[in-house]
Amino acid sequence: APDEVTNLPGMKFKPNYRQWSGYLQARQGKFLHYWFVTSQRDPVKDPLVLWLNGGPGCSSLDGFLSENGPFHVNDNGASLYENAFSWNKIANVLYVESPAGVGFSYSDDKKYATDDDQVADDNYKALQSFFAKFPNFTQNEFFIFGESYGGIYAPTLSLRVATGAAKINFKGFAVGNGLSSFALNDQSLIYFGYYHGLFGEDLWRDLNINCCEKGSCNFYNSSSDACKTLVIVAFGIVYNSGLNEYALYLDCEGGRRSHRGYERTMIHLFKNCGKHMHTLKFSDGAPSSVSLG
Amino acid sequence: EVPPCINSTAQMNWLNRGDVRKALHIPATLPPWDLCSDDVGEQYTTLYSTVKDVYLKLISLGLRALVYNGDTDMACNFLGDQWFVEDLGLEATTKYQTWIHDDQIAGFYQQFGNITFLTVKGAGHMVPQWAPGPAFHMFQSFITNGYY
């Protein structure tokens, strides 16, 4: 098979599974890089799992090389070590870098503007391209996993697989720390932040005074400017004060660098106050205009 | 550059070695690998402010679903996804209860027919990275439709 990976620099162990790395055809001129590892148990009988990281714009090779893949990269950036809890111990796992423009995926015309539905369509085409390369796997039970913004990628692709013409033995989907609703993600973060001790009484009282009425609070799209400003202060504490927003009780690796791609992700996550995110990014704390009383 | 607090230097250095790219059949003409793409993120259009209707269609087609959250993550916190699953309006078929891994409480879960909401205690955004054992257990239970 042209895409089979037969040796990898830095691999000092002999894998007991096969692996392929190459390109799947999405829309005309769009090519998604895939990396496929067979199950270490029974590739014929074990399920096939598609893994998608989110972003939007981040690579599923993070899932492979840092999360659930069969091997990870040592800190020296040169040698590999085996992952004892690899998900390909019991499943065939396919990692796809999506959409085009992410990681090693590309578009002939170098045009990378896209949207949720187009990504789902491209992922569906890429999946059919995968099954054309590996027809034996059409019988295996099939699952789709998405993480983070993959909380939108996974269900939208799942709907195409479940209702599309392609014969795929689709059984279900899973979402890890997914974005499923902007409103609920915003609303819940304020409670999460306060009850994890990030805000203190002044800000919590001001949030309640300005965002709540008759016992119901709206931290997502309040019409009150005071409420919006206080919510932005709260988000600033979560995302701009030096905490590790991915894991509250872990240090922030590599200091407080910020990736514009990441910040845009936050803007996607917090659509309504996203335009202020840039201001927050360059300020150390609450914008000067806000008095916390 | 990488997202804040995430150090992907090692993968980046390995993936951008010429012999690794050759072994992975990556065209030499492509730019270096990065964890996230500005090109894509900058021009991306979000169409779904919620995927509630998509979930309801998928559940009605008899598919199985798992919504899991590392409970120390703040980018997509567990409470928001718990409220999302509860807001689907499906009847709960189990109580909200603990699940055990290696004789320790690994988190909590509740099932609503074919959809399960599950937390992984102490894990962040990338659950398999920060709780590999419980994540594997959860994965195995889901794909075999077994007990958590």
Side-chain angles (χ1 to χ4, degrees), chain A residues 3 21 57-59 66 97 116-117 148-149 173 175 177-178 182 239 245-246 248 252-253 259 264, chain B residues 2 5 7 11 24-25 33 35-37 41-42 44 46-49 66 68 70 72 74 81 125:
Chain A
D3 291 348
S21 162
C58 297
S59 167
S66 298
E97 291 191 284
D116 293 336
D117 280 334
S148 191
Y149 201 85
F173 68 100
V175 167
N177 288 79
F182 283 97
Y239 289 109
E245 51 274 355
Y246 280 119
L248 177 55
C252 183
E253 282 191 44
H259 180 288
R264 209 176 2 274
Chain B
V2 292
C5 308
N7 184 351
Q11 298 108 298
L24 296 176
H25 316 117
W33 183 89
L35 179 57
C36 297
S37 157
E42 225 153 42
Y44 193 91
T46 289
L47 301 178
Y48 295 83
S49 59
L66 167 65
Y68 68 89
T72 69
M74 299 192 285
D81 284 324
H125 193 71

mmCIF file of all heavy atoms in Angstrom, chain A residues 3 21 57-59 66 97 116-117 148-149 173 175 177-178 182 239 245-246 248 252-253 259 264, chain B residues 2 5 7 11 24-25 33 35-37 41-42 44 46-49 66 68 70 72 74 81 125:
data_model
loop_
_atom_site.group_PDB
_atom_site.id
_atom_site.type_symbol
_atom_site.label_atom_id
_atom_site.label_comp_id
_atom_site.label_asym_id
_atom_site.label_seq_id
_atom_site.Cartn_x
_atom_site.Cartn_y
_atom_site.Cartn_z
ATOM 1 N N ASP A 3 0.664 4.205 1.018
ATOM 2 C CA ASP A 3 0.725 5.093 2.182
ATOM 3 C C ASP A 3 1.299 4.413 3.419
ATOM 4 O O ASP A 3 1.447 5.064 4.455
ATOM 5 C CB ASP A 3 -0.687 5.594 2.533
ATOM 6 C CG ASP A 3 -1.248 6.548 1.479
ATOM 7 O OD1 ASP A 3 -0.450 6.983 0.620
ATOM 8 O OD2 ASP A 3 -2.454 6.830 1.492
ATOM 9 N N SER A 21 0.000 6.686 6.454
ATOM 10 C CA SER A 21 -0.102 8.144 6.511
ATOM 11 C C SER A 21 -0.114 8.654 5.078
ATOM 12 O O SER A 21 0.762 8.283 4.284
ATOM 13 C CB SER A 21 1.095 8.745 7.263
ATOM 14 O OG SER A 21 1.213 10.133 6.971
ATOM 15 N N GLY A 57 -9.261 24.856 13.598
ATOM 16 C CA GLY A 57 -7.958 25.113 12.992
ATOM 17 C C GLY A 57 -6.828 24.389 13.660
ATOM 18 O O GLY A 57 -5.664 24.623 13.351
ATOM 19 N N CYS A 58 -7.156 23.480 14.624
ATOM 20 C CA CYS A 58 -6.070 22.782 15.309
ATOM 21 C C CYS A 58 -5.988 21.323 14.851
ATOM 22 O O CYS A 58 -6.966 20.764 14.352
ATOM 23 C CB CYS A 58 -6.234 22.884 16.821
ATOM 24 S SG CYS A 58 -6.141 24.607 17.387
ATOM 25 N N SER A 59 -4.831 20.713 15.032
ATOM 26 C CA SER A 59 -4.523 19.447 14.364
ATOM 27 C C SER A 59 -4.847 18.216 15.194
ATOM 28 O O SER A 59 -4.547 18.162 16.389
ATOM 29 C CB SER A 59 -3.029 19.427 14.028
ATOM 30 O OG SER A 59 -2.640 18.122 13.661
ATOM 31 N N SER A 66 -0.119 13.402 21.585
ATOM 32 C CA SER A 66 -0.159 13.858 22.984
ATOM 33 C C SER A 66 -1.257 13.198 23.787
ATOM 34 O O SER A 66 -1.214 13.225 25.017
ATOM 35 C CB SER A 66 -0.442 15.373 23.049
ATOM 36 O OG SER A 66 0.550 16.087 22.440
ATOM 37 N N GLU A 97 -6.519 15.355 9.840
ATOM 38 C CA GLU A 97 -6.281 16.791 10.090
ATOM 39 C C GLU A 97 -7.269 17.579 9.238
ATOM 40 O O GLU A 97 -7.189 17.570 8.003
ATOM 41 C CB GLU A 97 -4.835 17.158 9.716
ATOM 42 C CG GLU A 97 -3.790 16.543 10.650
ATOM 43 C CD GLU A 97 -2.400 17.116 10.429
ATOM 44 O OE1 GLU A 97 -1.761 16.747 9.436
ATOM 45 O OE2 GLU A 97 -1.958 17.948 11.245
ATOM 46 N N ASP A 116 -18.783 25.549 9.246
ATOM 47 C CA ASP A 116 -19.150 24.267 9.877
ATOM 48 C C ASP A 116 -19.696 23.259 8.861
ATOM 49 O O ASP A 116 -19.293 22.089 8.858
ATOM 50 C CB ASP A 116 -20.226 24.503 10.956
ATOM 51 C CG ASP A 116 -19.708 25.294 12.143
ATOM 52 O OD1 ASP A 116 -18.482 25.281 12.380
ATOM 53 O OD2 ASP A 116 -20.529 25.941 12.833
ATOM 54 N N ASP A 117 -20.619 23.695 8.010
ATOM 55 C CA ASP A 117 -21.242 22.727 7.090
ATOM 56 C C ASP A 117 -20.270 22.248 6.022
ATOM 57 O O ASP A 117 -20.248 21.078 5.644
ATOM 58 C CB ASP A 117 -22.491 23.335 6.437
ATOM 59 C CG ASP A 117 -23.695 23.266 7.390
ATOM 60 O OD1 ASP A 117 -23.702 22.360 8.268
ATOM 61 O OD2 ASP A 117 -24.590 24.121 7.289
ATOM 62 N N SER A 148 -13.352 19.285 21.876
ATOM 63 C CA SER A 148 -13.355 20.757 21.855
ATOM 64 C C SER A 148 -14.264 21.268 20.737
ATOM 65 O O SER A 148 -15.430 20.917 20.721
ATOM 66 C CB SER A 148 -11.915 21.244 21.692
ATOM 67 O OG SER A 148 -11.828 22.612 21.915
ATOM 68 N N TYR A 149 -13.742 22.011 19.786
ATOM 69 C CA TYR A 149 -14.601 22.445 18.676
ATOM 70 C C TYR A 149 -15.050 21.232 17.868
ATOM 71 O O TYR A 149 -16.015 21.274 17.112
ATOM 72 C CB TYR A 149 -13.880 23.465 17.791
ATOM 73 C CG TYR A 149 -14.842 24.302 16.967
ATOM 74 C CD1 TYR A 149 -15.431 25.446 17.484
ATOM 75 C CD2 TYR A 149 -15.196 23.909 15.681
ATOM 76 C CE1 TYR A 149 -16.337 26.197 16.743
ATOM 77 C CE2 TYR A 149 -16.103 24.651 14.932
ATOM 78 C CZ TYR A 149 -16.679 25.792 15.468
ATOM 79 O OH TYR A 149 -17.584 26.519 14.730
ATOM 80 N N PHE A 173 -21.352 8.308 18.310
ATOM 81 C CA PHE A 173 -20.340 9.369 18.332
ATOM 82 C C PHE A 173 -20.107 9.812 19.768
ATOM 83 O O PHE A 173 -20.958 9.575 20.651
ATOM 84 C CB PHE A 173 -20.795 10.543 17.458
ATOM 85 C CG PHE A 173 -21.989 11.292 18.003
ATOM 86 C CD1 PHE A 173 -21.832 12.489 18.690
ATOM 87 C CD2 PHE A 173 -23.276 10.792 17.842
ATOM 88 C CE1 PHE A 173 -22.934 13.181 19.191
ATOM 89 C CE2 PHE A 173 -24.385 11.474 18.347
ATOM 90 C CZ PHE A 173 -24.210 12.668 19.014
ATOM 91 N N VAL A 175 -18.144 13.058 22.249
ATOM 92 C CA VAL A 175 -17.569 14.409 22.246
ATOM 93 C C VAL A 175 -16.875 14.635 23.576
ATOM 94 O O VAL A 175 -17.478 14.420 24.635
ATOM 95 C CB VAL A 175 -18.689 15.450 22.020
ATOM 96 C CG1 VAL A 175 -18.206 16.845 22.320
ATOM 97 C CG2 VAL A 175 -19.205 15.362 20.581
ATOM 98 N N ASN A 177 -14.992 17.262 26.120
ATOM 99 C CA ASN A 177 -14.846 18.707 26.390
ATOM 100 C C ASN A 177 -15.244 19.493 25.140
ATOM 101 O O ASN A 177 -14.476 20.300 24.617
ATOM 102 C CB ASN A 177 -13.430 19.022 26.854
ATOM 103 C CG ASN A 177 -13.223 18.497 28.266
ATOM 104 O OD1 ASN A 177 -12.991 17.305 28.448
ATOM 105 N ND2 ASN A 177 -13.354 19.357 29.262
ATOM 106 N N GLY A 178 -16.475 19.185 24.696
ATOM 107 C CA GLY A 178 -16.928 19.735 23.430
ATOM 108 C C GLY A 178 -17.641 21.058 23.580
ATOM 109 O O GLY A 178 -18.185 21.376 24.630
ATOM 110 N N PHE A 182 -22.934 27.604 22.572
ATOM 111 C CA PHE A 182 -22.203 28.803 22.990
ATOM 112 C C PHE A 182 -22.828 29.376 24.260
ATOM 113 O O PHE A 182 -22.146 29.744 25.208
ATOM 114 C CB PHE A 182 -22.255 29.867 21.885
ATOM 115 C CG PHE A 182 -21.330 29.597 20.738
ATOM 116 C CD1 PHE A 182 -21.792 28.991 19.588
ATOM 117 C CD2 PHE A 182 -19.996 29.929 20.815
ATOM 118 C CE1 PHE A 182 -20.942 28.726 18.527
ATOM 119 C CE2 PHE A 182 -19.135 29.668 19.756
ATOM 120 C CZ PHE A 182 -19.614 29.063 18.605
ATOM 121 N N TYR A 239 -9.252 33.680 31.307
ATOM 122 C CA TYR A 239 -8.416 33.479 30.110
ATOM 123 C C TYR A 239 -7.205 34.379 30.028
ATOM 124 O O TYR A 239 -6.375 34.213 29.151
ATOM 125 C CB TYR A 239 -9.272 33.670 28.848
ATOM 126 C CG TYR A 239 -10.242 32.541 28.671
ATOM 127 C CD1 TYR A 239 -11.593 32.727 28.859
ATOM 128 C CD2 TYR A 239 -9.778 31.269 28.400
ATOM 129 C CE1 TYR A 239 -12.472 31.669 28.749
ATOM 130 C CE2 TYR A 239 -10.648 30.205 28.298
ATOM 131 C CZ TYR A 239 -11.989 30.401 28.475
ATOM 132 O OH TYR A 239 -12.847 29.356 28.388
ATOM 133 N N GLU A 245 -6.217 27.717 31.236
ATOM 134 C CA GLU A 245 -7.656 27.567 30.969
ATOM 135 C C GLU A 245 -8.022 26.154 30.552
ATOM 136 O O GLU A 245 -9.173 25.777 30.596
ATOM 137 C CB GLU A 245 -8.123 28.550 29.892
ATOM 138 C CG GLU A 245 -7.308 28.547 28.648
ATOM 139 C CD GLU A 245 -6.103 29.464 28.737
ATOM 140 O OE1 GLU A 245 -5.946 30.168 29.730
ATOM 141 O OE2 GLU A 245 -5.292 29.452 27.790
ATOM 142 N N TYR A 246 -7.037 25.370 30.158
ATOM 143 C CA TYR A 246 -7.334 23.988 29.768
ATOM 144 C C TYR A 246 -7.384 23.067 30.974
ATOM 145 O O TYR A 246 -7.920 21.973 30.900
ATOM 146 C CB TYR A 246 -6.256 23.470 28.823
ATOM 147 C CG TYR A 246 -6.403 23.909 27.396
ATOM 148 C CD1 TYR A 246 -5.415 24.652 26.783
ATOM 149 C CD2 TYR A 246 -7.532 23.581 26.654
ATOM 150 C CE1 TYR A 246 -5.533 25.052 25.460
ATOM 151 C CE2 TYR A 246 -7.656 23.977 25.334
ATOM 152 C CZ TYR A 246 -6.648 24.710 24.748
ATOM 153 O OH TYR A 246 -6.758 25.099 23.436
ATOM 154 N N LEU A 248 -7.488 23.808 35.206
ATOM 155 C CA LEU A 248 -7.391 24.820 36.265
ATOM 156 C C LEU A 248 -6.264 24.535 37.261
ATOM 157 O O LEU A 248 -5.621 25.459 37.753
ATOM 158 C CB LEU A 248 -8.731 24.904 37.006
ATOM 159 C CG LEU A 248 -8.833 25.842 38.207
ATOM 160 C CD1 LEU A 248 -8.415 27.255 37.827
ATOM 161 C CD2 LEU A 248 -10.241 25.828 38.775
ATOM 162 N N CYS A 252 0.689 26.750 33.889
ATOM 163 C CA CYS A 252 0.586 27.158 32.484
ATOM 164 C C CYS A 252 1.938 26.882 31.837
ATOM 165 O O CYS A 252 2.905 27.589 32.079
ATOM 166 C CB CYS A 252 0.269 28.651 32.431
ATOM 167 S SG CYS A 252 0.028 29.237 30.766
ATOM 168 N N GLU A 253 1.982 25.795 31.034
ATOM 169 C CA GLU A 253 3.270 25.419 30.429
ATOM 170 C C GLU A 253 3.774 26.532 29.501
ATOM 171 O O GLU A 253 2.989 27.131 28.770
ATOM 172 C CB GLU A 253 3.086 24.144 29.595
ATOM 173 C CG GLU A 253 3.025 22.879 30.426
ATOM 174 C CD GLU A 253 3.120 21.637 29.536
ATOM 175 O OE1 GLU A 253 3.957 21.620 28.619
ATOM 176 O OE2 GLU A 253 2.322 20.729 29.774
ATOM 177 N N HIS A 259 -1.710 32.293 21.558
ATOM 178 C CA HIS A 259 -1.674 31.985 20.119
ATOM 179 C C HIS A 259 -2.878 32.640 19.470
ATOM 180 O O HIS A 259 -3.988 32.477 19.918
ATOM 181 C CB HIS A 259 -1.740 30.460 19.960
ATOM 182 C CG HIS A 259 -1.717 30.007 18.541
ATOM 183 N ND1 HIS A 259 -2.798 30.188 17.700
ATOM 184 C CD2 HIS A 259 -0.756 29.397 17.822
ATOM 185 C CE1 HIS A 259 -2.486 29.674 16.515
ATOM 186 N NE2 HIS A 259 -1.270 29.206 16.560
ATOM 187 N N ARG A 264 -8.570 33.273 18.762
ATOM 188 C CA ARG A 264 -9.750 33.304 17.891
ATOM 189 C C ARG A 264 -10.689 32.184 18.281
ATOM 190 O O ARG A 264 -11.897 32.323 18.259
ATOM 191 C CB ARG A 264 -9.313 33.160 16.426
ATOM 192 C CG ARG A 264 -10.231 33.838 15.478
ATOM 193 C CD ARG A 264 -9.724 33.754 14.093
ATOM 194 N NE ARG A 264 -8.509 33.016 13.964
ATOM 195 C CZ ARG A 264 -7.292 33.551 14.127
ATOM 196 N NH1 ARG A 264 -7.169 34.821 14.418
ATOM 197 N NH2 ARG A 264 -6.220 32.826 14.021
ATOM 198 N N VAL B 2 1.974 28.422 19.930
ATOM 199 C CA VAL B 2 0.996 27.388 20.293
ATOM 200 C C VAL B 2 -0.065 28.030 21.187
ATOM 201 O O VAL B 2 0.131 29.118 21.704
ATOM 202 C CB VAL B 2 1.685 26.250 21.079
ATOM 203 C CG1 VAL B 2 2.622 25.483 20.175
ATOM 204 C CG2 VAL B 2 2.416 26.819 22.273
ATOM 205 N N CYS B 5 -0.323 27.912 27.404
ATOM 206 C CA CYS B 5 -0.231 26.870 28.440
ATOM 207 C C CYS B 5 -0.056 25.481 27.868
ATOM 208 O O CYS B 5 0.024 24.518 28.617
ATOM 209 C CB CYS B 5 -1.456 26.882 29.363
ATOM 210 S SG CYS B 5 -1.812 28.493 30.048
ATOM 211 N N ASN B 7 2.390 23.088 25.605
ATOM 212 C CA ASN B 7 3.739 23.054 25.040
ATOM 213 C C ASN B 7 3.818 21.931 24.005
ATOM 214 O O ASN B 7 3.899 20.759 24.355
ATOM 215 C CB ASN B 7 4.763 22.798 26.152
ATOM 216 C CG ASN B 7 6.175 22.855 25.595
ATOM 217 O OD1 ASN B 7 6.360 22.921 24.367
ATOM 218 N ND2 ASN B 7 7.146 22.820 26.479
ATOM 219 N N GLN B 11 6.448 17.778 19.646
ATOM 220 C CA GLN B 11 5.802 17.211 18.442
ATOM 221 C C GLN B 11 6.193 18.025 17.220
ATOM 222 O O GLN B 11 6.459 17.480 16.151
ATOM 223 C CB GLN B 11 4.269 17.251 18.510
ATOM 224 C CG GLN B 11 3.630 16.479 19.591
ATOM 225 C CD GLN B 11 3.079 17.450 20.623
ATOM 226 O OE1 GLN B 11 3.841 18.190 21.226
ATOM 227 N NE2 GLN B 11 1.796 17.418 20.825
ATOM 228 N N LEU B 24 6.236 9.913 6.478
ATOM 229 C CA LEU B 24 4.764 10.086 6.552
ATOM 230 C C LEU B 24 4.178 10.488 5.208
ATOM 231 O O LEU B 24 2.977 10.806 5.112
ATOM 232 C CB LEU B 24 4.424 11.140 7.618
ATOM 233 C CG LEU B 24 4.798 10.773 9.064
ATOM 234 C CD1 LEU B 24 4.490 11.953 10.006
ATOM 235 C CD2 LEU B 24 4.061 9.517 9.521
ATOM 236 N N HIS B 25 5.042 10.512 4.143
ATOM 237 C CA HIS B 25 4.557 10.825 2.780
ATOM 238 C C HIS B 25 3.980 12.243 2.682
ATOM 239 O O HIS B 25 2.928 12.461 2.064
ATOM 240 C CB HIS B 25 3.510 9.802 2.327
ATOM 241 C CG HIS B 25 3.888 8.392 2.642
ATOM 242 N ND1 HIS B 25 3.156 7.590 3.509
ATOM 243 C CD2 HIS B 25 4.977 7.665 2.285
ATOM 244 C CE1 HIS B 25 3.764 6.425 3.638
ATOM 245 N NE2 HIS B 25 4.863 6.430 2.903
ATOM 246 N N TRP B 33 4.705 22.086 9.886
ATOM 247 C CA TRP B 33 3.533 21.722 10.678
ATOM 248 C C TRP B 33 3.454 22.624 11.901
ATOM 249 O O TRP B 33 4.457 22.964 12.521
ATOM 250 C CB TRP B 33 3.661 20.267 11.132
ATOM 251 C CG TRP B 33 2.470 19.747 11.898
ATOM 252 C CD1 TRP B 33 1.353 19.149 11.369
ATOM 253 C CD2 TRP B 33 2.267 19.788 13.322
ATOM 254 N NE1 TRP B 33 0.478 18.803 12.381
ATOM 255 C CE2 TRP B 33 1.020 19.186 13.577
ATOM 256 C CE3 TRP B 33 3.014 20.270 14.392
ATOM 257 C CZ2 TRP B 33 0.484 19.047 14.864
ATOM 258 C CZ3 TRP B 33 2.507 20.140 15.680
ATOM 259 C CH2 TRP B 33 1.253 19.545 15.914
ATOM 260 N N LEU B 35 0.633 23.367 15.407
ATOM 261 C CA LEU B 35 -0.489 22.766 16.146
ATOM 262 C C LEU B 35 -1.822 23.360 15.701
ATOM 263 O O LEU B 35 -2.808 22.662 15.538
ATOM 264 C CB LEU B 35 -0.294 22.984 17.653
ATOM 265 C CG LEU B 35 -1.386 22.440 18.581
ATOM 266 C CD1 LEU B 35 -1.585 20.954 18.390
ATOM 267 C CD2 LEU B 35 -1.025 22.733 20.037
ATOM 268 N N CYS B 36 -1.833 24.695 15.508
ATOM 269 C CA CYS B 36 -3.070 25.339 15.060
ATOM 270 C C CYS B 36 -2.736 26.241 13.874
ATOM 271 O O CYS B 36 -1.631 26.779 13.785
ATOM 272 C CB CYS B 36 -3.697 26.177 16.159
ATOM 273 S SG CYS B 36 -4.206 25.214 17.586
ATOM 274 N N SER B 37 -3.709 26.402 12.988
ATOM 275 C CA SER B 37 -3.502 27.191 11.774
ATOM 276 C C SER B 37 -4.216 28.538 11.878
ATOM 277 O O SER B 37 -5.436 28.592 12.036
ATOM 278 C CB SER B 37 -4.055 26.436 10.552
ATOM 279 O OG SER B 37 -4.342 27.348 9.518
ATOM 280 N N GLY B 41 -8.195 29.396 11.236
ATOM 281 C CA GLY B 41 -8.939 30.006 12.340
ATOM 282 C C GLY B 41 -9.425 31.402 12.004
ATOM 283 O O GLY B 41 -10.555 31.767 12.296
ATOM 284 N N GLU B 42 -8.572 32.168 11.328
ATOM 285 C CA GLU B 42 -8.899 33.570 11.018
ATOM 286 C C GLU B 42 -10.092 33.688 10.076
ATOM 287 O O GLU B 42 -10.859 34.633 10.148
ATOM 288 C CB GLU B 42 -7.693 34.193 10.297
ATOM 289 C CG GLU B 42 -7.287 35.553 10.774
ATOM 290 C CD GLU B 42 -5.784 35.753 10.514
ATOM 291 O OE1 GLU B 42 -5.312 35.354 9.423
ATOM 292 O OE2 GLU B 42 -5.118 36.250 11.410
ATOM 293 N N TYR B 44 -12.528 31.347 9.621
ATOM 294 C CA TYR B 44 -13.544 30.303 9.872
ATOM 295 C C TYR B 44 -14.889 30.933 10.230
ATOM 296 O O TYR B 44 -14.946 31.888 10.983
ATOM 297 C CB TYR B 44 -13.091 29.383 11.008
ATOM 298 C CG TYR B 44 -13.912 28.127 11.094
ATOM 299 C CD1 TYR B 44 -13.535 26.982 10.402
ATOM 300 C CD2 TYR B 44 -15.107 28.097 11.814
ATOM 301 C CE1 TYR B 44 -14.320 25.834 10.446
ATOM 302 C CE2 TYR B 44 -15.884 26.950 11.863
ATOM 303 C CZ TYR B 44 -15.485 25.823 11.181
ATOM 304 O OH TYR B 44 -16.260 24.686 11.217
ATOM 305 N N THR B 46 -18.486 30.176 11.983
ATOM 306 C CA THR B 46 -19.302 29.273 12.789
ATOM 307 C C THR B 46 -20.755 29.414 12.365
ATOM 308 O O THR B 46 -21.265 30.526 12.240
ATOM 309 C CB THR B 46 -19.150 29.628 14.274
ATOM 310 O OG1 THR B 46 -17.852 29.240 14.699
ATOM 311 C CG2 THR B 46 -20.164 28.905 15.128
ATOM 312 N N LEU B 47 -21.425 28.282 12.112
ATOM 313 C CA LEU B 47 -22.838 28.331 11.696
ATOM 314 C C LEU B 47 -23.765 27.850 12.808
ATOM 315 O O LEU B 47 -24.939 28.189 12.851
ATOM 316 C CB LEU B 47 -23.046 27.450 10.453
ATOM 317 C CG LEU B 47 -22.217 27.810 9.205
ATOM 318 C CD1 LEU B 47 -22.488 26.820 8.075
ATOM 319 C CD2 LEU B 47 -22.525 29.233 8.746
ATOM 320 N N TYR B 48 -23.226 27.001 13.706
ATOM 321 C CA TYR B 48 -24.080 26.403 14.743
ATOM 322 C C TYR B 48 -23.783 27.042 16.096
ATOM 323 O O TYR B 48 -22.699 26.868 16.636
ATOM 324 C CB TYR B 48 -23.827 24.895 14.843
ATOM 325 C CG TYR B 48 -24.215 24.122 13.602
ATOM 326 C CD1 TYR B 48 -23.339 24.032 12.520
ATOM 327 C CD2 TYR B 48 -25.465 23.525 13.490
ATOM 328 C CE1 TYR B 48 -23.691 23.341 11.373
ATOM 329 C CE2 TYR B 48 -25.829 22.828 12.344
ATOM 330 C CZ TYR B 48 -24.934 22.747 11.289
ATOM 331 O OH TYR B 48 -25.280 22.068 10.153
ATOM 332 N N SER B 49 -24.746 27.779 16.653
ATOM 333 C CA SER B 49 -24.524 28.300 18.008
ATOM 334 C C SER B 49 -24.880 27.214 19.019
ATOM 335 O O SER B 49 -24.479 27.265 20.168
ATOM 336 C CB SER B 49 -25.389 29.534 18.255
ATOM 337 O OG SER B 49 -26.748 29.196 18.082
ATOM 338 N N LEU B 66 -21.881 9.769 23.534
ATOM 339 C CA LEU B 66 -21.205 9.991 24.812
ATOM 340 C C LEU B 66 -20.699 11.429 24.830
ATOM 341 O O LEU B 66 -20.019 11.847 23.886
ATOM 342 C CB LEU B 66 -20.012 9.026 24.960
ATOM 343 C CG LEU B 66 -18.999 9.324 26.083
ATOM 344 C CD1 LEU B 66 -19.650 9.177 27.459
ATOM 345 C CD2 LEU B 66 -17.775 8.421 25.974
ATOM 346 N N TYR B 68 -18.397 13.590 27.183
ATOM 347 C CA TYR B 68 -17.533 13.455 28.368
ATOM 348 C C TYR B 68 -16.705 14.717 28.563
ATOM 349 O O TYR B 68 -16.354 15.404 27.600
ATOM 350 C CB TYR B 68 -16.637 12.213 28.265
ATOM 351 C CG TYR B 68 -15.560 12.248 27.193
ATOM 352 C CD1 TYR B 68 -14.292 12.760 27.451
ATOM 353 C CD2 TYR B 68 -15.824 11.768 25.906
ATOM 354 C CE1 TYR B 68 -13.313 12.787 26.475
ATOM 355 C CE2 TYR B 68 -14.857 11.788 24.925
ATOM 356 C CZ TYR B 68 -13.593 12.297 25.203
ATOM 357 O OH TYR B 68 -12.620 12.316 24.219
ATOM 358 N N GLY B 70 -13.429 16.420 31.013
ATOM 359 C CA GLY B 70 -12.481 16.565 32.114
ATOM 360 C C GLY B 70 -13.004 17.731 32.951
ATOM 361 O O GLY B 70 -13.326 18.786 32.392
ATOM 362 N N THR B 72 -11.760 19.865 35.107
ATOM 363 C CA THR B 72 -10.995 21.069 35.494
ATOM 364 C C THR B 72 -10.790 21.986 34.292
ATOM 365 O O THR B 72 -10.074 22.971 34.380
ATOM 366 C CB THR B 72 -9.601 20.691 36.055
ATOM 367 O OG1 THR B 72 -8.810 20.174 34.966
ATOM 368 C CG2 THR B 72 -9.698 19.659 37.152
ATOM 369 N N MET B 74 -11.631 24.841 31.538
ATOM 370 C CA MET B 74 -12.454 26.052 31.522
ATOM 371 C C MET B 74 -12.727 26.533 30.101
ATOM 372 O O MET B 74 -13.481 27.476 29.895
ATOM 373 C CB MET B 74 -11.759 27.162 32.327
ATOM 374 C CG MET B 74 -11.554 26.774 33.781
ATOM 375 S SD MET B 74 -11.076 28.162 34.800
ATOM 376 C CE MET B 74 -9.370 28.361 34.315
ATOM 377 N N ASP B 81 -21.701 21.421 29.335
ATOM 378 C CA ASP B 81 -22.092 20.221 28.589
ATOM 379 C C ASP B 81 -23.110 19.390 29.358
ATOM 380 O O ASP B 81 -23.990 18.745 28.770
ATOM 381 C CB ASP B 81 -20.849 19.404 28.238
ATOM 382 C CG ASP B 81 -20.078 20.049 27.072
ATOM 383 O OD1 ASP B 81 -20.738 20.593 26.162
ATOM 384 O OD2 ASP B 81 -18.834 20.030 27.095
ATOM 385 N N HIS B 125 -8.827 19.699 29.598
ATOM 386 C CA HIS B 125 -9.462 19.720 28.275
ATOM 387 C C HIS B 125 -9.117 18.480 27.453
ATOM 388 O O HIS B 125 -9.954 17.939 26.758
ATOM 389 C CB HIS B 125 -8.973 20.979 27.555
ATOM 390 C CG HIS B 125 -9.705 21.355 26.326
ATOM 391 N ND1 HIS B 125 -10.984 21.855 26.323
ATOM 392 C CD2 HIS B 125 -9.331 21.308 25.029
ATOM 393 C CE1 HIS B 125 -11.357 22.131 25.070
ATOM 394 N NE2 HIS B 125 -10.376 21.805 24.270
#
